Amino acid sequence: MRIRTESDGDIAAIGRVVTEALRLLAQSTGTEAGIVERLRAEGGMIFSLVAEEDGQIIGSLVASPARVGQQDGWGLIGPLAVSPARHRQGIGSALMAEALRRLRGSCRGAALVGDPGYYHRFGFRTFPGLGVTGCPPEVVLALPFTDIVPRGELIHHPAFGLNQQE
Ligand SMILES: CC(C)(COP(=O)(O)OP(=O)(O)OC[C@H]1O[C@@H](n2cnc3c(N)ncnc32)[C@H](O)[C@@H]1OP(=O)(O)O)[C@@H](O)C(=O)NCCC(=O)NCCS
């Protein structure tokens, strides 16, 4: 299994993996593959990683630029998706490790909206006052790379369609 940057030939397979994996989540909106497409079309990707094995795409992780309050320079991770048949084999962890390695070189921290039971293991945690309007605060997580404290609304790229206040 290899983690690498997406190439044009991966795009359809990424859409399939994202749709199949996110379908398992109760809170899935079914729009996640569309978000990936819009991020790509709008130049909203810091990077898009794939996990590839024997020529098959079995995982995908996208990072996009985000702000916390007025502070830019955050890297938002998501969607993260692994083919359901390949869950719990370390693929999500490998994608995350590479994403954090890359973001450390260019961002003040990483942030995401997701299950704390999964993301705590990578060092993500909640912070007082960090949130996304309409989301329970316990699922809005950050991993600062320095001693900065993220506080305020985690503002996603417009491709997420959250209509957040600028
Ligand atoms: C969540 C997801 C990306 C994890 O990928 P994965 O390749 O299965 O994860 P890993 O094999 O790297 O798992 C690492 C650890 O997390 C645990 N884990 C995996 N999925 C978990 C989950 N949903 N909740 C809690 N723990 C989880 C594994 O048991 C493993 O623990 P261990 O090291 O103690 O054995 C994958 O299950 C997935 O695509 N799920 C559907 C989509 C989704 O939930 N995406 C995230 C949106 S917030």
Side-chain angles (χ1 to χ4, degrees):
M1 197 261 297
R2 185 161 85 100
I3 307 294
R4 60 168 174 78
T5 301
E6 74 166 32
S7 59
D8 289 350
D10 303 324
I11 289 174
I14 291 170
R16 283 196 295 274
V17 169
V18 169
T19 300
E20 284 171 15
L22 274 291
R23 195 180 282 150
L24 302 178
L25 274 187
Q27 66 271 33
S28 169
T29 56
T31 58
E32 293 83 3
I35 291 170
V36 173
E37 282 171 22
R38 280 198 298 282
L39 283 170
R40 192 181 287 116
E42 295 171 18
M45 287 179 168
I46 303 176
F47 51 74
S48 167
L49 300 177
V50 294
E52 177 193 12
E53 191 176 76
D54 298 332
Q56 303 276 7
I57 301 303
I58 53 176
S60 160
L61 181 154
V62 174
S64 56
R67 292 205 325 261
V68 176
Q70 294 302 311
Q71 190 175 59
D72 62 12
W74 288 83
L76 187 127
I77 291 181
L80 166 61
V82 173
S83 293
R86 303 299 304 271
H87 284 178
R88 307 211 170 204
Q89 297 174 21
I91 299 164
S93 298
L95 284 162
M96 181 61 82
E98 177 61 11
L100 292 177
R101 192 187 69 78
R102 293 188 186 202
L103 290 177
R104 275 180 200 282
S106 60
C107 289
R108 52 176 97 243
L112 55 81
V113 177
D115 177 357
Y118 181 61
Y119 290 107
H120 274 160
R121 74 194 65 236
F122 305 111
F124 286 90
R125 65 179 183 91
T126 56
F127 288 84
L130 175 67
V132 172
T133 302
C135 287
E138 60 271 20
V139 301
V140 183
L141 309 175
L143 172 54
F145 297 147
T146 65
D147 58 4
I148 52 167
V149 177
R151 193 178 178 85
E153 179 86 0
L154 171 61
I155 300 176
H156 292 54
H157 188 279
F160 283 86
L162 296 181
N163 297 317
Q164 292 169 305
Q165 293 295 322
E166 286 298 308

